[in-house]
Amino acid sequence: MLNRVVLVGRLTRDPELRYTPNGVAVANFTLAVNRTFTNQQGERDADFINCVVWQKIAENVANYLKKGSLAGVDGRIQTRSYDNNEGRKVFVTEVVAESVQFLETRRSEGGQAPADSFANESQPIDISDDDLPF
Amino acid sequence: MLNRVVLVGRLTRDPELRYTPNGVAVANFTLAVNRTFTNQQGERDADFINCVVWQKIAENVANYLKKGSLAGVDGRIQTRSYDNNEGRKVFVTEVVAESVQFLETRRSEGGQAPADSFANESQPIDISDDDLPF
Amino acid sequence: MLNRVVLVGRLTRDPELRYTPNGVAVANFTLAVNRTFTNQQGERDADFINCVVWQKIAENVANYLKKGSLAGVDGRIQTRSYDNNEGRKVFVTEVVAESVQFLETRRSEGGQAPADSFANESQPIDISDDDLPF
Amino acid sequence: MLNRVVLVGRLTRDPELRYTPNGVAVANFTLAVNRTFTNQQGERDADFINCVVWQKIAENVANYLKKGSLAGVDGRIQTRSYDNNEGRKVFVTEVVAESVQFLETRRSEGGQAPADSFANESQPIDISDDDLPF
DNA sequence: TTTT
DNA sequence: TTTT
């Protein structure tokens, strides 16, 4: 059945990279996707969408993206549940990214940026992977 | 920023139609979207995705869809939080449907279906609405 | 870069299945996707979108879909050009389907449909393939 | 019926802005969307996708985007035909953009860019419009 | 809390 | 007719 999601937004924090007991890389990050409309208070709201990536893309995401990076995600919605430490079932809805596009280069913190280096002249980097472990 | 979701799945229960204090119709339903792959136990899993619709579409959804109906949804992911009755913050991720396509006619329960009536010859019905209240 | 298309529509004719010189299956079909709005004459228009599928999905499409079938397509837009028989360059924009969902069972022509067989009780069939030859 | 397209790519030329006899703005542009895979010659191919936008977005596109700009498009596929000057029917497949996201600031040609202005710190601009004339 |  |  059809289940397709496409997002462009900014990472709210650095991605978290972990490894499963079998050594498979998994990264989690949250995308802040600004809404085009404003709320009753006239503010521009955002949706904060949790994303997961596996394997090689997970490692690429951890290497190339950080808090504030602009990224595009093509994936699907996944739901799952787990029991929290109070023994209560928690339901999770998140996006499994099948490909991630790095839409800009961030200046490194405290780094000395050469006068002629402009992010808008950098190539967006595509990181995709087809043999996911699920 | 880009935030787009397209789903095709079956309703897990009848849609719930309510009205805001200002009289705006809202309907909630959950789509079961079967995955194409199978899990470790060889079972075919599904994602259970909560959807919200507003206004005229909400009423159409309540009228035309029921538990088990096959439906297509075009919308976006929305996140929000609220405090539950224990004073704890609960985070919700759901799909705001901007248009819903009713993909089949369900036989009415206990009804007598005429020998020549086939769901596959019915026209899918599109219900969309552009002036959402947000 | 992001390139994602999702369609639900009906085949305008039976799919055409061919094989490349290397024996790779390719199928072509056109989806009529009705618009939700009506034109100035008050008619409901449709878009006629050419689709290509490769390999196993191509054969599944040829086996399961026919003129009039309702199908969902998840894929991407592809552009290419070729020289026609008058030596003129022709530009083609089409959708490469990465997965196709068969959304209903068509009654076989002249077949005897049992009184209790309803398309709406059939399972949508997903046909997808990840190792495309391009 | 469902018809949804999401693209991220670069403009191959400056957008062309025109007005209908009734004064409605229309802009045309082509997005080069690089493929993630390479062709047999090891080159990285691209798809060149023609896009149309109407009304206010058309004017925004003409103002903010130019050849080489990185842009995101959310829209749908449209097909139409017209008779060319040889009296031959030409079929067109293009994307009608319902919203366009300007994903970077281009340095103005010959302009003097201040040492601390980085495109990656600029806000992507969303231009969308809901009351299209069709 | 889940559909066919 | 093609962008970085």
Side-chain angles (χ1 to χ4, degrees), chain B residues 2-24:
Chain B
L2 282 168
N3 181 343
R4 182 55 57 184
V5 176
V6 183
L7 305 170
V8 172
R10 287 188 187 279
L11 291 244
T12 62
R13 52 175 211 275
D14 290 353
E16 283 169 31
L17 180 65
R18 288 168 309 106
Y19 288 87
T20 68
N22 312 308
V24 181

Side-chain angles (χ1 to χ4, degrees), chain A residues 8-132:
Chain A
V8 172
R10 286 190 188 278
L11 292 244
T12 62
R13 51 172 212 276
D14 290 354
E16 283 170 30
L17 180 65
R18 289 168 308 105
Y19 288 87
T20 68
N22 312 308
V24 181
V26 206
N28 291 277
F29 60 93
T30 299
L31 272 192
V33 183
N34 292 140
R35 298 180 184 160
T36 50
F37 40 87
T38 51
N39 62 14
Q40 291 94 322
Q41 287 79 258
E43 307 158 328
R44 187 135 161 241
D45 269 331
D47 295 294
F48 299 96
I49 303 170
N50 294 320
C51 299
V52 210
V53 265
W54 290 87
Q55 297 193 339
K56 186 161 50 84
I57 328 182
E59 291 171 330
N60 286 332
V61 157
N63 286 333
Y64 293 116
L65 298 179
K66 56 200 289 197
K67 183 177 174 175
S69 300
L70 187 67
V73 160
D74 187 0
R76 61 174 195 281
I77 296 180
Q78 177 178 75
T79 60
R80 59 189 172 83
S81 65
Y82 65 92
D83 296 308
N84 69 5
N85 44 27
E86 301 168 36
R88 212 186 293 245
K89 202 164 215 119
V90 180
F91 292 90
V92 177
T93 298
E94 62 204 346
V95 169
V96 180
E98 288 161 2
S99 89
V100 176
Q101 189 187 4
F102 180 13
L103 286 167
E104 73 187 5
T105 318
R106 297 294 291 173
R107 184 163 41 148
S108 58
E109 278 136 334
Q112 188 64 26
D116 61 343
S117 94
F118 283 85
N120 54 17
E121 289 168 6
S122 71
Q123 265 306 86
I125 297 170
D126 271 307
I127 41 192
S128 66
D129 194 305
D130 278 336
D131 28 39
L132 302 179

Side-chain angles (χ1 to χ4, degrees), chain B residues 102-122:
Chain B
F102 179 13
L103 286 167
E104 72 187 9
T105 317
R106 297 293 296 171
R107 183 161 44 148
S108 57
E109 278 137 333
Q112 188 63 26
D116 62 344
S117 94
F118 283 84
N120 54 17
E121 289 168 7
S122 72

Side-chain angles (χ1 to χ4, degrees), chain B residues 1-8 72-74 98-99 101 123-124 126 130, chain D residues 1-8 72-74 98-99 101 123-124 126 130:
Chain B
M1 287 175 160
L2 282 168
N3 181 343
R4 182 55 57 184
V5 176
V6 183
L7 305 170
V8 172
V73 160
D74 186 0
E98 288 162 0
S99 89
Q101 189 185 7
Q123 270 302 91
D126 271 308
D130 278 334
Chain D
M1 284 173 163
L2 284 168
N3 182 344
R4 182 54 58 183
V5 176
V6 184
L7 305 171
V8 171
V73 160
D74 186 1
E98 288 162 0
S99 90
Q101 189 186 7
Q123 268 303 90
D126 272 307
D130 278 336

Side-chain angles (χ1 to χ4, degrees), chain B residues 29-47:
Chain B
F29 59 92
T30 299
L31 271 192
V33 182
N34 293 140
R35 298 180 184 161
T36 48
F37 40 87
T38 52
N39 62 13
Q40 292 91 322
Q41 288 79 259
E43 307 158 328
R44 185 132 162 247
D45 268 332
D47 295 294

